[in-house]
Amino acid sequence: MIGIIGAMSQEVAKLKAVMSGVEVENRAGMEFFKGTINGKEIVVVRSGIGKVNAAVCSQILADCYHVTAIINTGIAGSLRNEINIGDIVLSEDTLQHDMDATGFGYPLGHIPQMDQSVFEGDKRMIEAAKACCARVVPEIGVHVGRVLSGDQFVSDIVKKAWLTETFDGYCTEMEGAAIAQTAFLNKIPFLIIRAISDKADDSAEMDYEVFEEKAIKHSVKLVLALLETLD
Ligand code: ADE
């Protein structure tokens, strides 16, 4: 069983529409849609926003659905000039930029009493997703790099510069590292796939509805192609 954590309701609805034998279960206030696509067992869910929702959702995927992989799709703010709105970032690795136990002697971003605070995306899934992007959304720029997560919507040039300098991130969002940490603790391979919706500064003027529609279309195409490559 493969777990898919989507960000947008239409994205989940589109995946649900191509699933067979859909069963819905409500857990922790989240709807889990279980079924098959081309004979492959999947469970699709919207976690809601933020690291706590994302971690709770991922742990349910581990405990109740015994997923063998987790794919997370969503949007993110770009932290690099060369990463444009509409591009896709695949998680080479991910960390929590708001984990701060410096007063306790730990470097920024380090989780106290854990050996690891940076969680690597599954290499096979990254390569498969790269190949799928080239095939199904060839017009989109694809970047493999570090995804930063925190319980903050970043829309400030100073904060953006600090994030880029401190953690060398490609993009910033609000769930990926929590999903990654939960996946790591449960020994489940994962991949975070983010479509860039803004530049994480105060300049980002965009037509969100047009962007969202495109992002959903790309994300559904990509997830369907990626599912074909996974066991
Ligand atoms: N999701 C999309 N854009 C974001 C941003 N700028 N900060 C945090 N999460 C985001």
Side-chain angles (χ1 to χ4, degrees), residues 3-66:
I4 300 166
I5 303 177
M8 293 164 276
S9 55
Q10 282 155 280
E11 184 184 0
V12 171
K14 283 195 176 174
L15 287 172
K16 214 171 71 184
V18 293
M19 281 164 70
S20 308
V22 182
E23 284 173 33
V24 58
E25 290 169 339
N26 195 300
R27 298 178 191 272
M30 302 169 197
E31 283 188 312
F32 291 79
F33 298 98
K34 198 171 76 167
T36 60
I37 291 183
N38 295 328
K40 216 154 266 179
E41 290 192 304
I42 65 166
V43 52
V44 185
V45 58
R46 262 178 94 200
S47 66
I49 293 170
K51 292 190 298 175
V52 174
N53 282 327
V56 168
C57 182
S58 305
Q59 191 60 48
I60 292 171
L61 288 177
D63 287 342
C64 302
Y65 298 95
H66 310 289

Short mmCIF file of all heavy atoms in Angstrom, two decimals, residues 3-66:
data_model
loop_
_atom_site.label_atom_id
_atom_site.label_comp_id
_atom_site.label_asym_id
_atom_site.label_seq_id
_atom_site.Cartn_x
_atom_site.Cartn_y
_atom_site.Cartn_z
N GLY A 3 1.05 5.38 0.40
CA GLY A 3 0.33 6.50 0.98
C GLY A 3 0.62 7.78 0.20
O GLY A 3 1.78 8.07 -0.10
N ILE A 4 -0.44 8.50 -0.12
CA ILE A 4 -0.28 9.78 -0.82
C ILE A 4 -0.91 10.87 0.04
O ILE A 4 -2.12 10.83 0.30
CB ILE A 4 -0.95 9.75 -2.21
CG1 ILE A 4 -0.30 8.65 -3.05
CG2 ILE A 4 -0.82 11.11 -2.90
CD1 ILE A 4 -1.09 8.30 -4.29
N ILE A 5 -0.11 11.81 0.48
CA ILE A 5 -0.63 12.95 1.24
C ILE A 5 -0.68 14.14 0.29
O ILE A 5 0.36 14.65 -0.14
CB ILE A 5 0.26 13.27 2.46
CG1 ILE A 5 0.41 12.05 3.38
CG2 ILE A 5 -0.31 14.46 3.23
CD1 ILE A 5 1.34 12.26 4.57
N GLY A 6 -1.89 14.54 -0.06
CA GLY A 6 -2.06 15.66 -0.99
C GLY A 6 -2.36 16.93 -0.21
O GLY A 6 -2.70 16.89 0.97
N ALA A 7 -2.22 18.05 -0.88
CA ALA A 7 -2.44 19.33 -0.19
C ALA A 7 -3.80 19.91 -0.53
O ALA A 7 -4.42 20.56 0.30
CB ALA A 7 -1.35 20.32 -0.58
N MET A 8 -4.26 19.67 -1.75
CA MET A 8 -5.46 20.38 -2.21
C MET A 8 -6.62 19.42 -2.41
O MET A 8 -6.43 18.29 -2.86
CB MET A 8 -5.13 21.12 -3.51
CG MET A 8 -4.12 22.23 -3.25
SD MET A 8 -3.31 22.89 -4.71
CE MET A 8 -1.98 21.78 -4.99
N SER A 9 -7.82 19.87 -2.07
CA SER A 9 -8.97 18.97 -2.10
C SER A 9 -9.26 18.48 -3.52
O SER A 9 -9.60 17.31 -3.72
CB SER A 9 -10.20 19.63 -1.51
OG SER A 9 -10.45 20.83 -2.16
N GLN A 10 -9.06 19.34 -4.52
CA GLN A 10 -9.34 18.90 -5.90
C GLN A 10 -8.36 17.82 -6.38
O GLN A 10 -8.69 16.99 -7.20
CB GLN A 10 -9.25 20.07 -6.87
CG GLN A 10 -10.46 20.96 -6.84
CD GLN A 10 -10.04 22.33 -7.30
OE1 GLN A 10 -9.49 23.10 -6.53
NE2 GLN A 10 -10.28 22.63 -8.55
N GLU A 11 -7.16 17.91 -5.83
CA GLU A 11 -6.13 16.93 -6.18
C GLU A 11 -6.55 15.56 -5.65
O GLU A 11 -6.52 14.55 -6.37
CB GLU A 11 -4.85 17.42 -5.50
CG GLU A 11 -3.63 16.63 -5.76
CD GLU A 11 -2.47 17.20 -4.93
OE1 GLU A 11 -2.65 18.18 -4.17
OE2 GLU A 11 -1.39 16.63 -5.04
N VAL A 12 -6.96 15.54 -4.40
CA VAL A 12 -7.44 14.29 -3.79
C VAL A 12 -8.68 13.80 -4.54
O VAL A 12 -8.81 12.61 -4.83
CB VAL A 12 -7.73 14.51 -2.28
CG1 VAL A 12 -8.42 13.32 -1.67
CG2 VAL A 12 -6.44 14.81 -1.53
N ALA A 13 -9.57 14.73 -4.90
CA ALA A 13 -10.80 14.36 -5.62
C ALA A 13 -10.46 13.74 -6.97
O ALA A 13 -11.08 12.75 -7.39
CB ALA A 13 -11.69 15.58 -5.80
N LYS A 14 -9.46 14.29 -7.66
CA LYS A 14 -9.09 13.76 -8.98
C LYS A 14 -8.49 12.37 -8.87
O LYS A 14 -8.74 11.50 -9.70
CB LYS A 14 -8.12 14.70 -9.68
CG LYS A 14 -8.82 15.90 -10.26
CD LYS A 14 -7.98 16.66 -11.24
CE LYS A 14 -8.83 17.78 -11.83
NZ LYS A 14 -8.13 18.67 -12.68
N LEU A 15 -7.69 12.16 -7.85
CA LEU A 15 -7.11 10.83 -7.65
C LEU A 15 -8.20 9.83 -7.28
O LEU A 15 -8.25 8.71 -7.78
CB LEU A 15 -6.02 10.86 -6.57
CG LEU A 15 -4.71 11.53 -6.98
CD1 LEU A 15 -3.78 11.69 -5.79
CD2 LEU A 15 -4.00 10.73 -8.08
N LYS A 16 -9.12 10.29 -6.41
CA LYS A 16 -10.25 9.44 -5.99
C LYS A 16 -11.07 9.02 -7.20
O LYS A 16 -11.52 7.88 -7.31
CB LYS A 16 -11.12 10.26 -5.03
CG LYS A 16 -11.78 9.46 -3.95
CD LYS A 16 -12.43 10.38 -2.94
CE LYS A 16 -13.66 11.05 -3.52
NZ LYS A 16 -14.31 12.02 -2.62
N ALA A 17 -11.21 9.93 -8.14
CA ALA A 17 -12.04 9.66 -9.33
C ALA A 17 -11.45 8.55 -10.21
O ALA A 17 -12.19 7.88 -10.93
CB ALA A 17 -12.20 10.94 -10.15
N VAL A 18 -10.13 8.36 -10.16
CA VAL A 18 -9.54 7.29 -10.98
C VAL A 18 -9.23 6.04 -10.16
O VAL A 18 -8.67 5.07 -10.67
CB VAL A 18 -8.27 7.77 -11.75
CG1 VAL A 18 -8.63 8.79 -12.80
CG2 VAL A 18 -7.22 8.33 -10.79
N MET A 19 -9.62 6.05 -8.89
CA MET A 19 -9.40 4.86 -8.04
C MET A 19 -10.57 3.90 -8.15
O MET A 19 -11.71 4.31 -8.34
CB MET A 19 -9.26 5.30 -6.57
CG MET A 19 -7.91 5.85 -6.22
SD MET A 19 -7.93 6.76 -4.65
CE MET A 19 -8.15 5.46 -3.46
N SER A 20 -10.28 2.61 -7.99
CA SER A 20 -11.35 1.60 -7.94
C SER A 20 -11.54 1.15 -6.50
O SER A 20 -10.60 1.15 -5.71
CB SER A 20 -10.98 0.38 -8.77
OG SER A 20 -10.59 0.77 -10.05
N GLY A 21 -12.77 0.73 -6.21
CA GLY A 21 -13.10 0.14 -4.90
C GLY A 21 -12.81 1.05 -3.74
O GLY A 21 -12.27 0.62 -2.72
N VAL A 22 -13.15 2.33 -3.89
CA VAL A 22 -12.78 3.32 -2.86
C VAL A 22 -13.56 3.11 -1.56
O VAL A 22 -14.78 2.96 -1.57
CB VAL A 22 -13.04 4.76 -3.37
CG1 VAL A 22 -12.62 5.78 -2.32
CG2 VAL A 22 -12.32 5.01 -4.68
N GLU A 23 -12.81 3.05 -0.47
CA GLU A 23 -13.42 3.03 0.87
C GLU A 23 -12.89 4.24 1.62
O GLU A 23 -11.70 4.56 1.49
CB GLU A 23 -12.98 1.78 1.64
CG GLU A 23 -13.67 0.51 1.21
CD GLU A 23 -13.05 -0.69 1.91
OE1 GLU A 23 -12.61 -0.56 3.08
OE2 GLU A 23 -12.97 -1.74 1.26
N VAL A 24 -13.77 4.88 2.38
CA VAL A 24 -13.31 6.05 3.12
C VAL A 24 -13.35 5.79 4.62
O VAL A 24 -14.30 5.17 5.12
CB VAL A 24 -14.12 7.31 2.72
CG1 VAL A 24 -15.59 7.12 2.95
CG2 VAL A 24 -13.65 8.55 3.47
N GLU A 25 -12.29 6.18 5.30
CA GLU A 25 -12.23 6.04 6.75
C GLU A 25 -11.83 7.38 7.35
O GLU A 25 -10.93 8.04 6.82
CB GLU A 25 -11.21 4.97 7.14
CG GLU A 25 -11.67 3.58 6.78
CD GLU A 25 -10.58 2.53 6.90
OE1 GLU A 25 -9.40 2.87 6.86
OE2 GLU A 25 -10.93 1.35 7.01
N ASN A 26 -12.49 7.76 8.43
CA ASN A 26 -12.17 9.01 9.08
C ASN A 26 -11.34 8.73 10.33
O ASN A 26 -11.76 7.98 11.20
CB ASN A 26 -13.49 9.73 9.46
CG ASN A 26 -13.23 11.17 9.80
OD1 ASN A 26 -12.47 11.46 10.72
ND2 ASN A 26 -13.83 12.07 9.04
N ARG A 27 -10.17 9.29 10.37
CA ARG A 27 -9.30 9.12 11.54
C ARG A 27 -8.67 10.48 11.87
O ARG A 27 -8.15 11.14 10.96
CB ARG A 27 -8.17 8.12 11.24
CG ARG A 27 -8.67 6.71 10.92
CD ARG A 27 -7.49 5.80 10.59
NE ARG A 27 -7.94 4.54 10.05
CZ ARG A 27 -8.26 3.46 10.76
NH1 ARG A 27 -8.19 3.50 12.08
NH2 ARG A 27 -8.65 2.36 10.17
N ALA A 28 -8.71 10.84 13.12
CA ALA A 28 -8.14 12.11 13.59
C ALA A 28 -8.66 13.29 12.76
O ALA A 28 -7.90 14.22 12.46
CB ALA A 28 -6.61 12.06 13.57
N GLY A 29 -9.91 13.18 12.35
CA GLY A 29 -10.52 14.28 11.59
C GLY A 29 -10.08 14.34 10.14
O GLY A 29 -10.40 15.30 9.44
N MET A 30 -9.34 13.31 9.69
CA MET A 30 -8.89 13.29 8.29
C MET A 30 -9.58 12.15 7.56
O MET A 30 -9.79 11.09 8.14
CB MET A 30 -7.36 13.06 8.22
CG MET A 30 -6.55 14.10 8.97
SD MET A 30 -4.82 13.60 9.12
CE MET A 30 -4.27 14.71 10.42
N GLU A 31 -9.91 12.39 6.28
CA GLU A 31 -10.54 11.34 5.47
C GLU A 31 -9.48 10.59 4.69
O GLU A 31 -8.76 11.18 3.88
CB GLU A 31 -11.54 11.97 4.50
CG GLU A 31 -12.83 12.37 5.17
CD GLU A 31 -13.87 12.80 4.15
OE1 GLU A 31 -13.52 13.61 3.27
OE2 GLU A 31 -15.02 12.34 4.25
N PHE A 32 -9.39 9.29 4.93
CA PHE A 32 -8.44 8.42 4.23
C PHE A 32 -9.20 7.65 3.16
O PHE A 32 -10.13 6.90 3.48
CB PHE A 32 -7.77 7.46 5.21
CG PHE A 32 -6.83 8.15 6.17
CD1 PHE A 32 -7.32 8.85 7.28
CD2 PHE A 32 -5.46 8.14 5.96
CE1 PHE A 32 -6.47 9.51 8.15
CE2 PHE A 32 -4.59 8.79 6.83
CZ PHE A 32 -5.10 9.49 7.93
N PHE A 33 -8.83 7.84 1.89
CA PHE A 33 -9.49 7.16 0.78
C PHE A 33 -8.59 6.01 0.32
O PHE A 33 -7.50 6.23 -0.21
CB PHE A 33 -9.74 8.13 -0.38
CG PHE A 33 -10.65 9.27 0.01
CD1 PHE A 33 -10.13 10.50 0.36
CD2 PHE A 33 -12.03 9.09 0.04
CE1 PHE A 33 -10.96 11.55 0.73
CE2 PHE A 33 -12.87 10.13 0.41
CZ PHE A 33 -12.34 11.37 0.76
N LYS A 34 -9.10 4.80 0.54
CA LYS A 34 -8.31 3.60 0.24
C LYS A 34 -8.89 2.96 -1.02
O LYS A 34 -10.12 2.91 -1.17
CB LYS A 34 -8.46 2.64 1.43
CG LYS A 34 -7.45 1.57 1.52
CD LYS A 34 -7.59 0.83 2.85
CE LYS A 34 -8.79 -0.11 2.82
NZ LYS A 34 -8.83 -1.06 3.93
N GLY A 35 -8.04 2.49 -1.91
CA GLY A 35 -8.53 1.85 -3.12
C GLY A 35 -7.36 1.41 -3.99
O GLY A 35 -6.23 1.30 -3.50
N THR A 36 -7.63 1.19 -5.28
CA THR A 36 -6.54 0.78 -6.17
C THR A 36 -6.53 1.66 -7.42
O THR A 36 -7.56 2.18 -7.84
CB THR A 36 -6.68 -0.70 -6.62
OG1 THR A 36 -7.93 -0.84 -7.31
CG2 THR A 36 -6.63 -1.67 -5.45
N ILE A 37 -5.34 1.80 -7.98
CA ILE A 37 -5.19 2.42 -9.31
C ILE A 37 -4.34 1.45 -10.12
O ILE A 37 -3.22 1.12 -9.71
CB ILE A 37 -4.51 3.81 -9.23
CG1 ILE A 37 -5.45 4.82 -8.56
CG2 ILE A 37 -4.13 4.30 -10.64
CD1 ILE A 37 -4.93 6.25 -8.48
N ASN A 38 -4.88 0.97 -11.24
CA ASN A 38 -4.20 -0.06 -12.04
C ASN A 38 -3.74 -1.23 -11.18
O ASN A 38 -2.62 -1.72 -11.31
CB ASN A 38 -2.99 0.53 -12.79
CG ASN A 38 -3.42 1.56 -13.81
OD1 ASN A 38 -4.50 1.45 -14.39
ND2 ASN A 38 -2.58 2.56 -14.03
N GLY A 39 -4.59 -1.63 -10.26
CA GLY A 39 -4.29 -2.79 -9.41
C GLY A 39 -3.36 -2.49 -8.25
O GLY A 39 -3.11 -3.34 -7.40
N LYS A 40 -2.84 -1.29 -8.19
CA LYS A 40 -1.92 -0.93 -7.10
C LYS A 40 -2.70 -0.34 -5.92
O LYS A 40 -3.52 0.55 -6.13
CB LYS A 40 -0.93 0.11 -7.63
CG LYS A 40 0.43 -0.06 -7.05
CD LYS A 40 1.51 0.49 -7.95
CE LYS A 40 2.09 -0.59 -8.83
NZ LYS A 40 3.12 -0.11 -9.72
N GLU A 41 -2.45 -0.87 -4.74
CA GLU A 41 -3.19 -0.38 -3.56
C GLU A 41 -2.63 0.95 -3.09
O GLU A 41 -1.41 1.09 -2.87
CB GLU A 41 -3.06 -1.38 -2.42
CG GLU A 41 -3.80 -2.67 -2.67
CD GLU A 41 -3.89 -3.49 -1.40
OE1 GLU A 41 -2.84 -3.78 -0.81
OE2 GLU A 41 -5.03 -3.81 -1.00
N ILE A 42 -3.54 1.92 -2.94
CA ILE A 42 -3.09 3.23 -2.44
C ILE A 42 -4.08 3.76 -1.40
O ILE A 42 -5.23 3.34 -1.33
CB ILE A 42 -2.93 4.28 -3.57
CG1 ILE A 42 -4.27 4.61 -4.24
CG2 ILE A 42 -1.94 3.82 -4.61
CD1 ILE A 42 -4.20 5.85 -5.09
N VAL A 43 -3.60 4.71 -0.62
CA VAL A 43 -4.48 5.44 0.29
C VAL A 43 -4.12 6.91 0.14
O VAL A 43 -2.95 7.29 0.19
CB VAL A 43 -4.38 4.90 1.75
CG1 VAL A 43 -2.95 4.83 2.25
CG2 VAL A 43 -5.23 5.74 2.71
N VAL A 44 -5.15 7.71 -0.13
CA VAL A 44 -4.96 9.14 -0.40
C VAL A 44 -5.62 9.93 0.72
O VAL A 44 -6.74 9.63 1.14
CB VAL A 44 -5.61 9.55 -1.74
CG1 VAL A 44 -5.31 11.00 -2.07
CG2 VAL A 44 -5.12 8.65 -2.87
N VAL A 45 -4.94 10.98 1.19
CA VAL A 45 -5.46 11.75 2.32
C VAL A 45 -4.95 13.19 2.24
O VAL A 45 -3.88 13.45 1.70
CB VAL A 45 -5.02 11.08 3.66
CG1 VAL A 45 -3.51 10.96 3.76
CG2 VAL A 45 -5.58 11.81 4.87
N ARG A 46 -5.75 14.09 2.79
CA ARG A 46 -5.28 15.47 3.01
C ARG A 46 -4.96 15.61 4.47
O ARG A 46 -5.84 15.38 5.32
CB ARG A 46 -6.41 16.46 2.67
CG ARG A 46 -6.32 17.04 1.31
CD ARG A 46 -7.50 17.94 1.10
NE ARG A 46 -7.17 19.32 1.42
CZ ARG A 46 -8.09 20.25 1.69
NH1 ARG A 46 -9.36 19.95 1.71
NH2 ARG A 46 -7.72 21.47 1.94
N SER A 47 -3.76 16.01 4.78
CA SER A 47 -3.36 16.06 6.20
C SER A 47 -3.83 17.34 6.87
O SER A 47 -3.94 17.39 8.10
CB SER A 47 -1.83 15.98 6.31
OG SER A 47 -1.23 17.13 5.74
N GLY A 48 -4.06 18.38 6.09
CA GLY A 48 -4.21 19.71 6.68
C GLY A 48 -2.84 20.34 6.79
O GLY A 48 -1.81 19.70 6.49
N ILE A 49 -2.82 21.57 7.25
CA ILE A 49 -1.59 22.36 7.19
C ILE A 49 -0.78 22.28 8.48
O ILE A 49 -1.34 22.21 9.58
CB ILE A 49 -1.96 23.83 6.86
CG1 ILE A 49 -2.53 23.89 5.43
CG2 ILE A 49 -0.75 24.77 6.98
CD1 ILE A 49 -3.14 25.19 5.04
N GLY A 50 0.53 22.26 8.33
CA GLY A 50 1.43 22.34 9.48
C GLY A 50 2.02 21.00 9.87
O GLY A 50 1.53 19.93 9.48
N LYS A 51 3.08 21.07 10.68
CA LYS A 51 3.87 19.88 10.97
C LYS A 51 3.12 18.88 11.85
O LYS A 51 3.28 17.67 11.69
CB LYS A 51 5.18 20.29 11.65
CG LYS A 51 6.11 21.05 10.69
CD LYS A 51 7.50 21.25 11.29
CE LYS A 51 7.43 22.08 12.52
NZ LYS A 51 8.69 22.23 13.22
N VAL A 52 2.30 19.36 12.78
CA VAL A 52 1.59 18.42 13.66
C VAL A 52 0.59 17.60 12.84
O VAL A 52 0.56 16.36 12.93
CB VAL A 52 0.90 19.16 14.83
CG1 VAL A 52 0.06 18.20 15.64
CG2 VAL A 52 1.95 19.83 15.72
N ASN A 53 -0.22 18.28 12.03
CA ASN A 53 -1.18 17.55 11.18
C ASN A 53 -0.45 16.55 10.29
O ASN A 53 -0.90 15.41 10.12
CB ASN A 53 -1.95 18.54 10.30
CG ASN A 53 -3.05 19.24 11.05
OD1 ASN A 53 -3.65 18.68 11.96
ND2 ASN A 53 -3.32 20.48 10.69
N ALA A 54 0.67 16.98 9.74
CA ALA A 54 1.41 16.13 8.81
C ALA A 54 1.97 14.89 9.52
O ALA A 54 1.94 13.78 8.97
CB ALA A 54 2.54 16.94 8.17
N ALA A 55 2.48 15.09 10.74
CA ALA A 55 3.05 13.96 11.48
C ALA A 55 1.96 12.97 11.91
O ALA A 55 2.11 11.75 11.79
CB ALA A 55 3.81 14.48 12.70
N VAL A 56 0.83 13.51 12.39
CA VAL A 56 -0.28 12.65 12.81
C VAL A 56 -0.76 11.82 11.61
O VAL A 56 -0.95 10.60 11.71
CB VAL A 56 -1.44 13.51 13.38
CG1 VAL A 56 -2.70 12.68 13.55
CG2 VAL A 56 -1.03 14.13 14.72
N CYS A 57 -0.91 12.49 10.49
CA CYS A 57 -1.39 11.82 9.28
C CYS A 57 -0.42 10.71 8.85
O CYS A 57 -0.83 9.59 8.52
CB CYS A 57 -1.52 12.88 8.18
SG CYS A 57 -2.13 12.25 6.63
N SER A 58 0.87 11.01 8.88
CA SER A 58 1.88 10.04 8.46
C SER A 58 1.91 8.83 9.40
O SER A 58 2.08 7.69 8.96
CB SER A 58 3.27 10.68 8.44
OG SER A 58 3.25 11.83 7.63
N GLN A 59 1.74 9.09 10.70
CA GLN A 59 1.77 7.97 11.65
C GLN A 59 0.55 7.07 11.45
O GLN A 59 0.66 5.84 11.57
CB GLN A 59 1.83 8.49 13.10
CG GLN A 59 2.13 7.40 14.11
CD GLN A 59 3.48 6.71 13.85
OE1 GLN A 59 4.49 7.37 13.64
NE2 GLN A 59 3.48 5.37 13.86
N ILE A 60 -0.58 7.67 11.10
CA ILE A 60 -1.77 6.85 10.81
C ILE A 60 -1.51 6.00 9.56
O ILE A 60 -1.86 4.82 9.51
CB ILE A 60 -3.02 7.75 10.64
CG1 ILE A 60 -3.39 8.39 11.98
CG2 ILE A 60 -4.21 6.94 10.08
CD1 ILE A 60 -4.48 9.45 11.91
N LEU A 61 -0.86 6.59 8.56
CA LEU A 61 -0.54 5.82 7.35
C LEU A 61 0.34 4.62 7.71
O LEU A 61 0.19 3.53 7.15
CB LEU A 61 0.18 6.70 6.32
CG LEU A 61 -0.67 7.74 5.60
CD1 LEU A 61 0.19 8.59 4.66
CD2 LEU A 61 -1.81 7.08 4.80
N ALA A 62 1.26 4.83 8.65
CA ALA A 62 2.16 3.74 9.06
C ALA A 62 1.40 2.68 9.87
O ALA A 62 1.47 1.49 9.58
CB ALA A 62 3.31 4.30 9.89
N ASP A 63 0.64 3.12 10.87
CA ASP A 63 0.02 2.18 11.82
C ASP A 63 -1.21 1.47 11.24
O ASP A 63 -1.40 0.28 11.46
CB ASP A 63 -0.43 2.93 13.09
CG ASP A 63 0.75 3.33 13.96
OD1 ASP A 63 1.84 2.77 13.78
OD2 ASP A 63 0.56 4.22 14.81
N CYS A 64 -2.05 2.22 10.56
CA CYS A 64 -3.35 1.67 10.15
C CYS A 64 -3.33 1.12 8.72
O CYS A 64 -4.15 0.28 8.37
CB CYS A 64 -4.45 2.73 10.26
SG CYS A 64 -4.58 3.40 11.92
N TYR A 65 -2.43 1.63 7.89
CA TYR A 65 -2.42 1.21 6.48
C TYR A 65 -1.13 0.51 6.08
O TYR A 65 -1.01 0.02 4.98
CB TYR A 65 -2.69 2.43 5.57
CG TYR A 65 -4.05 3.03 5.85
CD1 TYR A 65 -4.20 4.10 6.72
CD2 TYR A 65 -5.20 2.48 5.30
CE1 TYR A 65 -5.45 4.63 7.02
CE2 TYR A 65 -6.46 3.00 5.58
CZ TYR A 65 -6.57 4.08 6.44
OH TYR A 65 -7.82 4.58 6.74
N HIS A 66 -0.16 0.47 7.01
CA HIS A 66 1.11 -0.22 6.78
C HIS A 66 1.72 0.14 5.43
O HIS A 66 2.13 -0.73 4.66
CB HIS A 66 0.91 -1.74 6.91
CG HIS A 66 0.20 -2.11 8.18
ND1 HIS A 66 0.80 -2.01 9.42
CD2 HIS A 66 -1.09 -2.49 8.41
CE1 HIS A 66 -0.07 -2.32 10.36
NE2 HIS A 66 -1.23 -2.62 9.77
#
